[in-house]
Amino acid sequence: MMLIQSGIGGGGAIKNNATATPLASSTASQIFGGCHQRNFLLNKTNPSAAAAVTHRKISLSNISDGGTRRRTTSPNVVCPKAVSDSSYSQTCLDPDASNSVLGIILGGGAGTRLYPLTKKRAKPAVPLGANYRLIDIPVSNCLNSNISKIYVLTQFNSASLNRHLSRAYASNMGGYKNEGFVEVLAAQQSPENPDWFQGTADAVRQYLWLLEEQNVLEFLVLAGDHLYRMDYEKFIQAHRESDADITVAALPMDEKRATAFGLMKIDEEGRIIEFSEKPKGEQLQAMKVDTTILGLDDKRAKEMPFIASMGIYVFSKNVMLDLLKEKFPKANDFGSEVIPGATSIGLRVQAYLYDGYWEDIGTIEAFYHANLGITKKPKPDFSFYDRSAPIYTQPRYLPPSKMLNADVTNSVIGEGCVIKNCKIHHSVIGLRSCISDGVIIEDTLLMGADYYETDSDRRLLEAKGGVSIGIGKNTHIRRAIIDKNARIGDNVKIINCDNVEETARETDGYFIKSGIVTVIKDALIPSGTII
């Protein structure tokens, strides 16, 4: 993938990440090595930081007893601090996360707000950032956090998700002395569960018979449609050090954004004592908290006096089994039922602050802005160039992209593209994209194609008056999402010339949502069309 930014010469994002820390050039084994290795590196590169960090050490053993933990603690108590993209790993989990944590990624519902991108695929399988898919984000975060046992739960259009996961992760996860896996668990009917998944908690409950077989201490519950980079080892360490039953990842919020989220209130120890779903007015003011408790400095704490749930949780294994089987056997959702219910019955539910970029890609507008955010200069909203925590995907072995007399600025270009005499500005161009002469593309996400058409295929199509995959000559596209394998003819204008906010023209091959034109996967837009 190439990042092209005018006036930067190679992309500011690469430069910023490469020089952010002395550890950026370290090998993977150094960065992700054992505790002694990490402490050595920290002392060597930043002695003052290393000296300032003290942890209450917890010795965890006897994993096989259903989550029972035996502790020996030193007097020092650590409050969970804000995390970032720093490659300094100050965690030392005992037992190791690879042996004691199971990742559970929830694929979400039908994805109606992301339609038509979810017409032929599950939400986590939606392409992202030219080369990737949404599911690559939580899976990569897990792998970078030394969590190698991962289940993905889904029930809608899961064929492309299954295919991607098997190609990307199946061949290098398991093996001798390595029990890692990434597996899809699709919704299924059984005598005990005749219904499909009714919600996040119900999805996990229906597969508890399989999940409880895993010899682990904690379940890490994640969403499959969020864009962020997070070190889950720090998250899990905070869970263990605070002796929590459940730990909820929390995002600091200002007053303007807070009304759109489920908010939480905490006590002086960071324990969650109250929930409120999208409060306004006096109810909103009542949810203000002192976020310095969770690690923000005084200035940031005044700017961000609210904390919102990210929908990311750590459950102690025995607590999860008890809640879903005994305490709340009919609850369907974690965020609105199980977590508040656990608080009400006296369980220790802790908040853990994540103070970094995070985006819930649940709507067309959010998806569009998250993708174009990676083209920002000098620093993108989310960078794929963090060498200490890379984002993985399936190897496709595509050739380098070819640009012939093209004018490309502030854009990201995926693998295997053929871009001829055209202008591209502030856009993301997906893999295998074919863009013809005279094309103008502005503020657009082009997802590319799943395959190349041969020369003989193209000649045959032209003889029949058909349109090849890609963007035809002299076409102008602005503020749009073009899904995979779309066939855009010559002299087409996709510019929303009438400034329409919402319309559904599925038979014509496109939708408009929030003023953004979305061309459906495999759609045909004939030559001369004006949208």
Side-chain angles (χ1 to χ4, degrees):
M1 181 173 71
M2 292 183 288
L3 175 66
I4 300 176
Q5 295 183 327
S6 59
I8 289 184
I14 303 177
K15 182 178 180 182
N16 288 345
N17 279 282
T19 59
T21 167
L23 288 185
S25 59
S26 302
T27 64
S29 61
Q30 286 175 311
I31 294 173
F32 298 107
C35 303
H36 298 295
Q37 247 178 332
R38 281 178 259 195
N39 290 340
F40 170 76
L41 279 171
L42 186 60
N43 279 292
K44 186 176 180 181
T45 56
N46 194 346
S48 61
V53 176
T54 56
H55 294 298
R56 183 181 69 164
K57 295 182 179 178
I58 297 180
S59 176
L60 300 171
S61 58
N62 196 17
I63 304 178
S64 61
D65 64 356
T68 302
R69 295 178 282 182
R70 186 167 67 245
R71 298 173 174 77
T72 57
T73 65
S74 68
N76 298 322
V77 178
V78 174
C79 181
K81 294 297 182 183
V83 299
S84 67
D85 284 356
S86 169
S87 58
Y88 289 115
S89 181
Q90 299 164 356
T91 57
C92 192
L93 294 180
D94 179 21
D96 192 86
S98 62
N99 297 318
S100 61
V101 180
L102 175 68
I104 303 170
I105 301 174
L106 302 172
T112 53
R113 294 185 301 161
L114 263 181
Y115 196 87
L117 300 180
T118 52
K119 181 180 179 180
K120 297 183 178 181
R121 58 170 78 92
K123 188 158 52 170
V126 172
L128 172 77
N131 283 352
Y132 307 90
R133 292 181 186 259
L134 280 174
I135 191 64
D136 291 325
I137 302 300
V139 171
S140 297
N141 283 337
C142 283
L143 298 181
N144 292 331
S145 303
N146 202 24
I147 297 168
S148 57
K149 299 176 181 178
I150 305 163
Y151 283 120
V152 181
L153 275 60
T154 185
Q155 66 178 333
F156 292 98
N157 292 337
S158 57
S160 62
L161 178 63
N162 293 349
R163 184 168 59 248
H164 176 77
L165 290 174
S166 63
R167 290 176 178 176
Y169 307 105
S171 62
N172 54 14
M173 291 293 293
Y176 179 63
K177 289 188 177 180
N178 182 4
E179 298 178 354
F181 58 83
V182 180
E183 294 182 9
V184 173
L185 300 179
Q188 59 185 8
Q189 292 176 309
S190 67
E192 294 79 18
N193 294 295
D195 299 319
W196 302 114
F197 296 158
Q198 302 300 306
T200 53
D202 185 62
V204 172
R205 181 188 294 108
Q206 290 196 31
Y207 271 105
L208 275 182
W209 62 271
L210 179 63
L211 304 179
E212 66 183 330
E213 291 177 359
Q214 293 295 325
N215 192 20
V216 296
L217 284 173
E218 290 100 4
F219 292 145
L220 174 66
V221 180
L222 307 168
D225 57 351
H226 294 170
L227 180 60
Y228 65 108
R229 181 182 277 107
M230 184 174 182
D231 184 351
Y232 297 141
E233 285 191 292
K234 294 178 183 178
F235 188 20
I236 295 157
Q237 177 170 289
H239 174 80
R240 293 178 180 179
E241 289 181 341
S242 60
D243 198 22
D245 296 303
I246 305 168
T247 302
V248 181
L251 200 68
M253 287 275 162
D254 58 22
E255 188 167 334
K256 183 178 179 181
R257 294 183 65 199
T259 56
F261 289 85
L263 302 183
M264 303 178 292
K265 201 165 186 178
I266 55 173
D267 64 14
E268 64 278 359
E269 295 180 353
R271 185 170 177 172
I272 299 171
I273 55 176
E274 188 180 343
F275 293 85
S276 182
E277 187 65 25
K278 299 179 181 179
K280 291 179 175 61
E282 292 182 4
Q283 287 184 327
L284 177 64
Q285 297 305 315
M287 295 304 292
K288 281 187 176 180
V289 298
D290 179 9
T291 44
T292 60
I293 294 170
L294 298 175
L296 285 188
D297 58 45
D298 291 338
K299 181 181 178 182
R300 291 269 294 150
K302 289 179 181 177
E303 295 171 352
M304 307 281 187
F306 302 95
I307 56 171
S309 171
M310 295 169 61
I312 299 172
Y313 318 106
V314 177
F315 283 81
S316 296
K317 179 182 177 180
N318 56 332
V319 171
M320 170 83 87
L321 298 178
D322 183 54
L323 287 174
L324 295 186
K325 285 183 174 181
E326 305 297 334
K327 298 292 193 303
F328 306 105
K330 301 296 183 182
N332 290 329
D333 186 69
F334 281 121
S336 61
E337 296 176 83
V338 176
I339 307 292
T343 303
S344 68
I345 62 174
L347 293 185
R348 188 175 187 92
V349 182
Q350 287 286 132
Y352 174 79
L353 197 72
Y354 171 79
D355 190 23
Y357 175 80
W358 175 86
E359 187 65 53
D360 180 358
I361 304 182
T363 65
I364 289 290
E365 185 176 20
F367 177 76
Y368 172 81
H369 288 299
N371 274 276
L372 291 191
I374 70 175
T375 69
K376 283 187 180 178
K377 63 177 185 180
K379 185 177 180 181
D381 289 339
F382 180 87
S383 175
F384 288 95
Y385 292 94
D386 189 332
R387 295 171 63 187
S388 66
I391 303 301
Y392 308 101
T393 192
Q394 70 179 75
R396 299 179 178 90
Y397 310 108
L398 292 172
S401 290
K402 184 190 299 185
M403 289 181 278
L404 307 172
N405 298 321
D407 180 7
V408 183
T409 56
N410 298 352
S411 297
V412 171
I413 311 296
E415 302 171 321
C417 299
V418 179
I419 301 172
K420 298 179 182 177
N421 185 18
C422 63
K423 292 184 178 181
I424 300 173
H425 175 70
H426 188 230
S427 296
V428 176
I429 308 300
L431 46 85
R432 301 188 191 90
S433 291
C434 294
I435 303 174
S436 302
D437 295 339
V439 170
I440 299 174
I441 297 177
E442 307 169 281
D443 307 322
T444 290
L445 168 59
L446 190 64
M447 290 188 181
D450 289 318
Y451 57 92
Y452 291 114
E453 287 180 328
T454 64
D455 291 339
S456 59
D457 290 337
R458 288 176 175 271
R459 285 193 295 268
L460 189 61
L461 276 170
E462 288 174 6
K464 294 180 178 180
V467 178
S468 300
I469 288 178
I471 312 300
K473 294 179 181 179
N474 302 314
T475 287
H476 187 186
I477 304 174
R478 182 175 64 233
R479 191 173 163 78
I481 299 172
I482 312 297
D483 207 339
K484 282 190 169 183
N485 308 332
R487 301 172 184 271
I488 313 293
D490 298 340
N491 302 302
V492 171
K493 292 187 183 297
I494 304 176
I495 56 177
N496 193 9
C497 52
D498 295 327
N499 296 318
V500 176
E501 279 295 308
E502 306 284 333
T503 189
R505 302 287 294 273
E506 189 159 3
T507 55
D508 295 325
Y510 70 92
F511 281 71
I512 300 178
K513 291 186 175 182
S514 302
I516 301 164
V517 180
T518 302
V519 175
I520 300 170
K521 184 179 180 183
D522 302 313
L524 169 63
I525 307 296
S527 296
T529 300
I530 298 176
I531 299 176

